[in-house]
Amino acid sequence: MIAVFIRIGLRYGAGVLVARGLLGADDAAAFSSDPDIQAGLEIAAGLAIASVTETWHWLARQSGWEH
């Protein structure tokens, strides 16, 4: 059961890292006056990506696509 929680945690962590990669140096410079806004956007984008991933995985399991 712990492996399930680890997998989910890693997916959300990966989503946050991808979100950090989506905000490049040019975008980060635009938010440099308020780092709290940048951090909030990174977290929100990461959680959105992770949520889509989890939903896709759930749909795959429900539809029998998972191997």
Side-chain angles (χ1 to χ4, degrees):
M1 186 66 171
I2 192 73
V4 172
F5 293 117
I6 290 172
R7 187 195 77 224
I8 291 170
L10 288 173
R11 283 187 182 163
Y12 279 90
V16 171
L17 290 175
V18 168
R20 287 188 60 92
L22 292 176
L23 288 175
D26 296 336
D27 297 329
F31 298 116
S32 64
S33 62
D34 193 355
D36 291 335
I37 292 175
Q38 181 182 4
L41 287 172
E42 289 173 351
I43 291 170
L47 291 175
I49 291 169
S51 296
V52 168
T53 302
E54 284 296 317
T55 303
W56 187 261
H57 184 286
W58 179 79
L59 286 171
R61 292 191 76 159
Q62 296 297 322
S63 301
W65 300 337
E66 183 185 50
H67 295 285

